[in-house]
Amino acid sequence: DGGITQSPKYLFRKEGQNVTLSCEQNLNHDAMYWYRQDPGQGLRLIYYSQIVNDFQKGDIAEGYSVSREKKESFPLTVTSAQKNPTAFYLCASSIDLADRGQGGYTFGSGTRLTVV
Amino acid sequence: AQKVTQAQTEISVVEKEDVTLDCVYETRDTTYYLFWYKQPPSGELVFLIRRNSFDEQNEISGRYSWNFQKSTSSFNFTITASQVVDSAVYFCALSEAHNYGQNFVFGPGTRLSVLP
């Protein structure tokens, strides 16, 4: 079955450490996205990528970095520069950016990051 | 700029009650799409419905119905005869068509608890 796999489901990080969240899709989608979810704030876009080797900042990119070396993979690194990294992180994909605009998202099941 | 408001942070109902989730949006575009997504405890967002700005017909799908009113910029979601499996966070979202999906915003979400 096609879908998006996010790993790990739960992640604990010590303050000052970088951590990388994995996102893999086998849907042959060109576009991929990272969202951050905090209680009462909905989903906020961190980064998105329309095609391999290209990515764009979203609304809250500070303290995060991404790469898109393969079509299937879009890992997110939460750096020590992110002041408040504890949150739920969702990865998503769509055929292309225009498809997202018509609701063509597929979401992963998320990674809950806790800074200890 | 576009905005989506879901004024109800949390709602609790008893099984078999009807419940309406409110969504109010703001946009300057004349062409846009509205969405509802469900986020069950497993974490992934599940697409429920898309409505474009030119189609104000109400829609019914089983126990779910949606009421779109441009005059009040609202796109409300009603669950009839609620069930425990309806317990989830529900997000309303807006996409402006002119930017080919680059403007996609989620509301803050409403957490629905259906008690047995």
Side-chain angles (χ1 to χ4, degrees):
Chain A
D1 284 340
I4 294 182
T5 301
Q6 287 188 245
S7 60
K9 194 163 182 67
Y10 299 95
L11 191 56
F12 296 89
R13 185 194 97 175
K14 292 183 179 179
E15 268 193 70
Q17 285 183 341
N18 293 355
V19 63
T20 297
L21 282 59
S22 169
C23 177
E24 303 278 332
Q25 55 102 354
N26 60 2
L27 299 163
N28 201 32
H29 285 174
D30 282 323
M32 296 186 73
Y33 315 84
W34 275 105
Y35 281 94
R36 171 179 170 140
Q37 182 178 359
D38 296 283
Q41 294 197 49
L43 277 68
R44 293 181 290 167
L45 184 64
I46 305 172
Y47 268 97
Y48 66 97
S49 167
Q50 296 187 64
I51 200 167
V52 174
N53 292 324
D54 181 68
F55 47 83
Q56 308 294 330
K57 291 181 179 180
D59 301 318
I60 55 165
E62 186 174 350
Y64 300 98
S65 66
V66 293
S67 63
R68 186 86 186 275
E69 297 176 1
K70 298 186 301 181
K71 188 174 186 177
E72 303 79 23
S73 179
F74 191 40
L76 173 74
T77 297
V78 184
T79 74
S80 55
Q82 169 50 234
K83 300 302 180 191
N84 185 20
T86 294
F88 188 62
Y89 291 88
L90 277 164
C91 180
S93 71
S94 63
I95 294 173
D96 52 32
L97 206 61
D99 184 56
R100 167 179 95 131
Q102 298 187 42
Y105 274 123
T106 299
F107 283 89
S109 56
T111 292
R112 186 165 299 281
L113 173 64
T114 303
V115 173
V116 296
Chain B
Q2 76 276 35
K3 183 179 178 182
V4 175
T5 302
Q6 295 177 255
Q8 304 148 309
T9 305
E10 294 191 33
I11 301 175
S12 288
V13 298
V14 177
E15 207 169 16
K16 297 184 183 177
E17 286 185 6
D18 298 348
V19 58
T20 295
L21 309 182
D22 297 333
C23 173
V24 174
Y25 62 92
E26 295 176 27
T27 178
R28 293 182 181 176
D29 268 22
T30 56
T31 304
Y32 51 89
Y33 297 95
L34 294 163
F35 309 88
W36 277 96
Y37 287 87
K38 174 182 179 180
Q39 185 180 40
S42 53
E44 79 281 8
L45 266 70
V46 177
F47 170 85
L48 295 178
I49 190 171
R50 179 189 79 183
R51 175 65 72 221
N52 75 55
S53 52
F54 297 109
D55 182 3
E56 284 195 75
Q57 266 193 326
N58 291 333
E59 177 146 347
I60 298 175
S61 176
R63 296 184 296 106
Y64 295 172
S65 62
W66 291 270
N67 183 289
F68 175 30
Q69 292 197 345
K70 287 177 77 169
S71 60
T72 56
S73 296
S74 65
F75 186 43
N76 296 338
F77 173 30
T78 298
I79 301 175
T80 303
S82 59
Q83 299 176 2
V84 172
V85 293
D86 296 326
S87 297
V89 180
Y90 291 87
F91 291 97
C92 182
L94 166 71
S95 170
E96 294 174 334
H98 81 274
N99 225 359
Y100 298 102
Q102 293 196 27
N103 290 344
F104 196 110
V105 62
F106 288 89
T110 296
R111 180 176 298 276
L112 174 65
S113 298
V114 181
L115 308 174

